[in-house]
Amino acid sequence: MTATTDFTFTCKGVRADAYAAGPTLVFRLGITAGPGVRVHALALRCQLRIEPARRGYATAEAEGLADLFGARSRWGNTLQPVQFAQVSVMVPSFTGETETDLVVPCTYDMDIAATRYFNALEDGEAPLLMLFSGTAFTGDGGFRVEPVPWDREASYRMPVAVWREMVEQHFPGCGWLRLPRDAMEELLAYRSRHALSSWEATVRSLLGAAADGAAAGAAPPPDGRTPDRPAWAGAVLPRAAERTAP
């Protein structure tokens, strides 16, 4: 039997794609098949996971991660890997070794666990693990089809500054919030009633009203409903944790 190709993978760097339509990271992969080994094509799949236990966290970072992992005292059990992305790339023909770009579309949706994790980091690096699989077409005289072994992986520590650069390219000085349709309709109605010029003005008006109410010590009705505070206010929306097994 012919031995399978001993593929190895490394991540050589990452950059924010300044020309992408949405937030996008581009990882530079190094791929080695072995001296003189001919690879006609490589259909590669990559799962990227965050390995949060592989770095330390400042107090402010720990507070920002509380909704993902709970209090720091529980992190021995809760600091589990978080799924970041799954992407595919078609690598063209090469002999021995090559490099290719792995394009990873991202989101600034704060309902996504990976986004909340990156957003909580102030500086340093985010520990990532890349898990590879796929199909290789190899051979000198003709070609044979073989799988990329499931145990192929590569660790990479992504600079937090690259993530922040990517976000600033598409959402300069802003955040992004997703709301259910009924909540959006309530906000639209509130904005129209008060003739507010922007969403920022709408949110600030609501925050100001809430602060004034708290200062006055007014107790809300039992169901929590007021003319400007519908029943859904304060509810915890479902979150896509996207956790994977350790």
Side-chain angles (χ1 to χ4, degrees):
M1 296 181 62
T2 304
T4 57
T5 304
D6 186 22
F7 288 103
T8 58
F9 300 89
T10 57
C11 183
K12 297 180 176 292
V14 63
R15 60 181 171 85
D17 189 343
Y19 303 103
T24 303
L25 294 173
V26 181
F27 292 85
R28 190 65 176 173
L29 292 183
I31 305 172
T32 301
V37 175
R38 178 60 183 263
V39 178
H40 300 285
L42 180 59
L44 190 64
R45 295 185 297 273
C46 179
Q47 178 187 134
L48 290 90
R49 296 195 321 198
I50 301 167
E51 300 281 301
R54 295 187 176 182
R55 63 158 283 170
Y57 301 92
T59 300
E61 293 175 329
E63 292 173 354
L65 293 170
D67 66 331
L68 284 178
F69 306 120
R72 194 190 285 268
S73 60
R74 299 177 53 209
W75 283 8
N77 296 321
T78 63
L79 213 62
Q80 301 296 325
V82 176
Q83 174 116 344
F84 175 24
Q86 293 193 59
V87 292
S88 300
V89 62
M90 196 70 187
V91 182
S93 175
F94 68 94
T95 300
E97 59 183 349
T98 190
E99 293 185 6
T100 192
D101 285 339
L102 183 70
V103 179
V104 180
C106 301
T107 177
Y108 197 42
D109 185 346
M110 296 302 288
D111 278 348
I112 305 299
T115 304
R116 295 206 306 279
Y117 175 84
F118 292 131
N119 186 69
L121 302 184
E122 296 180 338
D123 54 23
E125 299 168 330
L128 302 180
L129 181 65
M130 298 179 170
L131 306 173
F132 297 98
S133 61
T135 304
F137 302 87
T138 63
D140 291 325
F143 74 89
R144 66 177 185 272
V145 180
E146 58 179 290
V148 176
W150 280 82
D151 61 351
R152 305 295 96 159
E153 60 184 45
S155 296
Y156 181 67
R157 302 186 71 86
M158 182 181 75
V160 174
V162 175
W163 173 269
R164 295 193 176 277
E165 175 189 351
M166 177 197 70
V167 171
E168 282 298 309
Q169 288 173 353
H170 296 274
F171 305 101
C174 300
W176 191 94
L177 182 65
R178 182 179 64 178
L179 294 174
R181 185 172 291 109
D182 58 344
M184 181 59 72
E185 290 173 353
E186 293 279 359
L187 282 175
L188 282 168
Y190 180 91
R191 179 175 175 175
S192 297
R193 285 198 306 272
H194 294 270
L196 297 167
S197 61
S198 66
W199 287 117
E200 179 183 359
T202 302
V203 173
R204 290 190 182 279
S205 175
L206 287 167
L207 292 174
D212 292 343
D223 64 354
R225 187 187 297 270
T226 66
D228 292 328
R229 179 183 171 83
W232 52 259
V236 177
L237 300 179
R239 298 194 298 264
E242 296 187 334
R243 300 263 180 104
T244 58

